[in-house]
Amino acid sequence: MKIFFVTLGCKVNQYESEAMRKLFEAAGYTAAEEISAADVVVVNTCTVTAVSSQKSRQMIRRAANVNRNCILVVVGCYAQSEPQVVSAIDGVDVIIGTKDRTRIVELVEAAFAKRGEKIFRVGNVDDIRDFEELPHTPHRTRAFLKIEDGCDNRCAYCIIPNVRGRVRSRSLESIRAECVELKSAGYKEIVLTGIHIGAYGRDLRGVSLVDAVQTVLDAADPLRLRLGSIESAELTDELIDLLKRDSRLCNHVHLPLQSGSDEILRAMRRPYTTKNFSELTARLIAEVPEISIGTDLIVGFPGETDELFAETLNFIREQPFSKIHVFPFSARHGTLAATLPNQIAPQVKKSRAVSAVELSRAKSENFSSRLIGRTVEIIAETSTDGIVDGLTKNYVRVYVPDVGIKLGEVVRVKIERLHADGVFGKISCA
Ligand code: SF4
């Protein structure tokens, strides 16, 4: 039996697809090269914005059209948020939400036994209290390591707590066990992932994110450990100290800002002010050499006037960001923000997004251009059309001609110029 995975969305989804693939492999399934050659197609969906939901529906329909004979499984956040819509799509056989992924093989076997009958496994996520343990082998050069699921915050715009449930932290023993495997498999870079990693440990006794980080450093001893996105208020003194002390911890953080206007931050129910945020970024720049700071920004939140948007742009201009992910506000059913007055017209959101992306590009180029003329280390990640790319420790993408570079290898590159979303250089022997 052959299986094919389509994964939309974030690093957590990628991790979970890799884990489900491992469950199928353990049951004797092998990978198909393409959708049309698979006996089972799994679409692991996303619903963070309206566009993500739309892409999820498109992918499900595409898979159903390309391969009418397969068992089509739809799993993940979009399946959890709109199970009836998914179920109504012609060709879908199995619908699983964000729990019961561990049962995916059994549910697929049931679908084979009862062809034509839909298998529906979407339960209430509010009552889940335990971290779902999934066996996992990374399928990429950088190993994602999931340490947490769910979120207890209620940011006004965010649908994720509704589809992922409450914070569940993975035990340190379980993290340690996966790290031992990653170490023996020779992974050089580990990326900690979760829905709200700053909340790690809240549901465990006397444990916090810094303990998870230390556990990974001790058990896997990676060349690099990268933190996934973390709320600014949760980057504690202890974590900053560790960032300064341990050179294995990447000098790169992703701190979602979402707005540079205090009025909009309050309306978003974000637990910080621009003052708190800028004090933190100033401290990081002063204390962690060459740190790169990425962020997320939502433009066109309800009530964001031209003046408030200008405030945001001005704030961002002053911030030392190396990359900004820009999202036009997307009203998600079931969230507070979807019910707020003063919704912003689509064309206004679009033009604000264009301005913010423009600013992001300028900031990225400014950050990356500091590398020109210098020699940096990357871990070779992918090779396409004779060009290898990989990331520096502080998250600049580097492109270099493929002269027989082995993926996963550490490569020294002399940087010559800006290129695509990063920089271009040549192999350095020095
Ligand atoms: S912290 Fe806010 S934005 Fe992040 S997942 Fe939780 S509710 Fe959503």
Side-chain angles (χ1 to χ4, degrees):
M1 289 291 215
K2 290 203 173 286
I3 179 126
F4 191 87
F5 272 86
V6 180
T7 305
L8 296 110
C10 62
K11 292 186 177 77
V12 177
N13 259 19
Q14 288 170 27
Y15 177 96
E16 288 163 350
S17 284
E18 286 166 356
M20 288 185 281
R21 185 182 286 121
K22 187 157 182 187
L23 290 172
F24 279 103
E25 282 167 5
Y29 288 70
T30 55
E33 294 281 304
E34 52 195 5
I35 290 175
S36 59
D39 300 293
V40 179
V41 176
V42 180
V43 184
N44 191 4
T45 57
C46 173
T47 193
V48 69
T49 63
V51 171
S52 323
S53 297
Q54 189 195 15
K55 281 189 186 157
S56 296
R57 286 192 297 274
Q58 277 169 353
M59 250 350 284
I60 299 163
R61 290 201 184 95
R62 197 177 144 238
N65 286 336
V66 168
N67 187 338
R68 292 186 172 274
N69 297 320
C70 70
I71 293 293
L72 179 54
V73 187
V74 182
V75 59
C77 294
Y78 179 62
Q80 182 71 39
S81 78
E82 296 195 344
Q84 303 305 341
V85 177
V86 172
S87 178
I89 298 175
D90 213 22
V92 174
D93 299 288
V94 182
I95 305 114
I96 306 172
T98 56
K99 63 178 191 180
D100 286 331
R101 294 183 198 85
T102 44
R103 297 186 57 199
I104 191 166
V105 177
E106 172 201 330
L107 297 171
V108 163
E109 310 267 300
F112 273 120
K114 299 181 192 166
R115 283 224 79 135
E117 256 181 58
K118 282 195 199 288
I119 310 262
F120 197 85
R121 186 67 58 171
V122 182
N124 182 2
V125 290
D126 295 336
D127 57 359
I128 317 175
R129 292 291 178 271
D130 296 323
F131 183 84
E132 185 184 42
E133 294 285 348
L134 286 160
H136 181 252
T137 305
H139 276 240
R140 54 191 72 239
T141 347
R142 294 190 293 147
F144 296 160
L145 176 63
K146 183 179 164 190
I147 60 164
E148 182 274 343
D149 205 340
C151 178
D152 295 341
N153 287 0
R154 281 286 183 270
C155 300
Y157 51 83
C158 186
I159 187 75
I160 297 306
N162 302 13
V163 295
R164 285 273 177 180
R166 312 263 314 260
V167 167
R168 286 97 69 197
S169 307
R170 187 172 184 179
S171 70
L172 293 177
E173 294 69 40
S174 170
I175 293 174
R176 194 173 294 118
E178 185 163 342
C179 284
V180 169
E181 285 178 28
L182 294 176
K183 184 178 183 180
S184 68
Y187 283 95
K188 295 190 174 69
E189 181 170 327
I190 295 176
V191 184
L192 284 197
T193 66
I195 299 299
H196 184 182
I197 65 168
Y200 176 86
R202 270 182 207 170
D203 54 330
L204 305 175
R205 222 167 274 188
V207 176
S208 71
L209 179 59
V210 83
D211 299 300
V213 170
Q214 195 60 61
T215 298
V216 178
L217 290 170
D218 293 344
D221 188 20
L223 186 65
R224 293 177 181 176
L225 174 58
R226 201 178 291 280
L227 294 182
S229 176
I230 181 165
E231 292 294 336
S232 53
E234 288 157 359
L235 196 58
T236 58
D237 288 349
E238 263 181 305
L239 265 172
I240 296 173
D241 278 351
L242 201 53
L243 264 172
K244 284 156 56 180
R245 259 190 299 116
D246 198 312
S247 62
R248 295 170 295 177
L249 211 47
C250 291
N251 49 352
H252 162 227
V253 288
H254 188 90
L255 308 171
L257 170 68
Q258 309 302 14
S259 174
S261 145
D262 286 324
E263 189 175 328
I264 295 296
L265 285 176
R266 271 194 303 278
M268 287 177 164
R269 300 200 163 170
R270 301 285 290 165
Y272 52 86
T273 62
T274 50
K275 182 167 178 288
N276 306 143
F277 194 94
S278 57
E279 281 169 1
L280 175 68
T281 54
R283 178 177 171 197
L284 290 170
I285 292 293
E287 297 184 11
V288 186
E290 301 196 61
I291 190 167
S292 76
I293 305 174
T295 197
D296 297 328
L297 178 70
I298 296 174
V299 298
F301 187 81
E304 187 188 62
T305 58
D306 287 343
E307 291 70 32
L308 294 177
F309 179 62
E311 230 177 80
T312 284
L313 281 189
N314 287 338
F315 182 75
I316 285 175
R317 224 170 260 124
E318 299 304 315
Q319 285 298 299
F321 293 134
S322 54
K323 179 132 196 99
I324 306 166
H325 294 287
V326 180
F327 302 91
F329 169 73
S330 176
R332 312 304 291 125
H333 181 69
T335 63
L336 174 68
T339 67
L340 291 177
N342 304 319
Q343 298 281 331
I344 306 299
Q347 65 275 20
V348 175
K349 287 194 250 185
K350 208 169 162 190
S351 87
R352 288 182 187 169
V354 169
S355 312
V357 167
E358 195 46 52
L359 184 53
S360 171
R361 189 173 306 122
K363 285 194 161 283
S364 296
E365 286 184 3
N366 180 37
F367 188 81
S368 302
S369 61
R370 296 182 205 163
L371 298 183
I372 294 171
R374 292 172 53 188
T375 299
V376 298
E377 269 186 9
I378 63 164
I379 298 175
E381 210 171 301
T382 54
S383 175
T384 318
D385 300 331
I387 303 288
V388 164
D389 70 276
L391 291 166
T392 61
K393 223 166 129 185
N394 62 356
Y395 214 61
V396 177
R397 191 155 292 279
V398 175
Y399 298 83
V400 59
D402 189 350
V403 286
I405 297 168
K406 216 169 119 209
L407 298 185
E409 219 177 56
V410 176
V411 181
R412 286 171 63 76
V413 183
K414 175 95 188 281
I415 304 302
E416 295 172 334
R417 58 182 159 87
L418 292 172
H419 176 76
D421 56 345
V423 290
F424 194 93
K426 61 175 186 229
I427 293 283
S428 162
C429 302

